[in-house]
Amino acid sequence: MTHHDAPAVTDGHARSLRLGEHTVTVLTDGGVQLHPLHWFPDSTRDDWTAPDASPLDGTGHLAAPITALLVEHRDRCLLIDAGYGAHSVAAQDTIATIGGLYGGRLPAELARHGRDGADIDTVAFTHLHDDHVGWAFGAGPDAPRLFPRAAYVASAAEWAGEERRAGGAVTRAVATGDEIFPGVRAWAAPGHTGGHTAYVISAGGRRLIAFGDVFHVPDQFARPDWTCAMDADPRQAVRTRHAMTAELTRPDTLAFATHFAAGPLGQVRTRRGVPVWAALEA
């Protein structure tokens, strides 16, 4: 997978929206290829040839973006997740569940929106997998940090044994209900990892849930019981997907989907009794 093979998440899809005094903006760092049958071992080939299935690329993979969410409130900036970093891994060097994997765009994406790493005062991680912490941890503990002013936020379970990866950054452990930034609260969503956390932005009579890796592709809304090969606790992950779907179908609820090529900002609607992802149009 090369940078030219990046999944298109911008074609006709919204990348930014206002929630009261908050502005949220999707920043794309890179992309990853997910092998559908290895990533979702309960799925079949027929599931990926159905008319409503997420499309496969020319190599038979699901092409998924790696994104972060910039949240601006007055003179403050929060970043939810931090991409993969300035790395790339060729398809032949990866494990069976994925093909190519790369990052590198986040600093330029910040600049395109008039920001740089020094503007970010809080980086909140849904979990500490490499494609969510890259620009925060990827350069090593002794290297200059892209976010020199930022405190790093994650659940206590995620930080266990991992604080050293944050280098000299201030780290903060949070639990459900904790406000990490004006109008933004943590919500435990375990399963993909033991301490996986979603973040809920509430403002202007609406809310937006950044659900991280609770879902990797929209197909999981209709099939929440599919196991995912990368989930640390598959049974808990299934319970969390059911609970998250119930929340996402509530009125005035939007969502940020880290890895959805089918539009990163959207909402879950019910069609003929089945929950489906409806991306917001630009």
Side-chain angles (χ1 to χ4, degrees):
M1 189 175 193
T2 68
H3 286 222
H4 300 293
D5 297 322
V9 299
T10 60
D11 295 348
H13 297 139
R15 288 181 60 89
S16 185
L17 60 86
R18 289 279 296 179
L19 289 170
E21 293 186 337
H22 296 71
T23 299
V24 301
T25 304
V26 177
L27 307 177
T28 300
D29 185 51
V32 60
Q33 293 171 307
L34 309 179
H35 190 295
L37 298 180
H38 293 162
W39 199 265
F40 302 109
D42 297 332
S43 70
T44 68
R45 293 187 185 278
D46 288 345
D47 289 319
W48 304 107
T49 58
D52 58 347
S54 292
L56 306 184
D57 66 15
T59 66
H61 290 88
L62 293 156
I66 296 172
T67 63
L69 190 68
L70 175 66
V71 183
E72 298 171 283
H73 179 264
R74 298 181 182 176
D75 60 347
R76 295 188 58 188
C77 295
L78 160 72
L79 192 68
I80 298 178
D81 287 333
Y84 184 56
H87 316 289
S88 63
V89 180
Q92 63 267 23
D93 298 325
T94 62
I95 58 177
T97 51
I98 63 173
L101 172 65
Y102 73 89
R105 297 179 176 179
L106 189 60
E109 285 270 281
L110 281 168
R112 191 161 65 89
H113 293 281
R115 297 292 186 178
D116 62 29
D119 293 323
I120 308 300
D121 62 70
T122 306
V123 179
F125 304 109
T126 56
H127 60 300
L128 302 187
H129 283 173
D130 288 350
D131 59 324
H132 294 256
V133 303
W135 283 104
F137 297 171
D142 299 322
R145 294 192 285 121
L146 179 62
F147 312 111
R149 296 179 47 246
Y152 290 170
V153 171
S155 69
E158 290 296 305
W159 284 131
E162 298 290 338
E163 292 92 339
R164 60 179 178 77
R165 295 177 66 194
V170 173
T171 60
R172 179 181 164 200
V174 294
T176 292
D178 289 350
E179 187 173 52
I180 64 157
F181 186 82
V184 183
R185 295 187 181 275
W187 178 22
H192 186 61
T193 64
H196 188 282
T197 301
Y199 296 97
V200 183
I201 305 165
S202 299
R206 295 187 294 172
R207 64 175 181 165
L208 182 145
I209 301 175
F211 56 67
D213 283 7
V214 174
F215 302 93
H216 289 88
V217 293
D219 311 68
Q220 290 174 282
F221 288 112
R223 301 172 180 85
D225 295 330
W226 273 357
T227 56
C228 173
M230 295 300 289
D231 286 343
D233 185 339
R235 290 185 179 180
Q236 178 58 57
V238 167
R239 290 192 290 270
T240 293
R241 280 193 288 278
H242 280 282
M244 184 66 72
T245 300
E247 289 292 328
L248 292 172
T249 53
R250 289 177 57 186
D252 300 315
T253 300
L254 304 172
F256 163 58
T258 307
H259 296 300
F260 282 16
L265 295 173
Q267 57 192 141
V268 177
R269 296 174 176 166
T270 302
R271 295 178 185 166
R272 296 184 293 276
V274 178
V276 297
W277 179 251
L280 299 184
E281 302 301 319

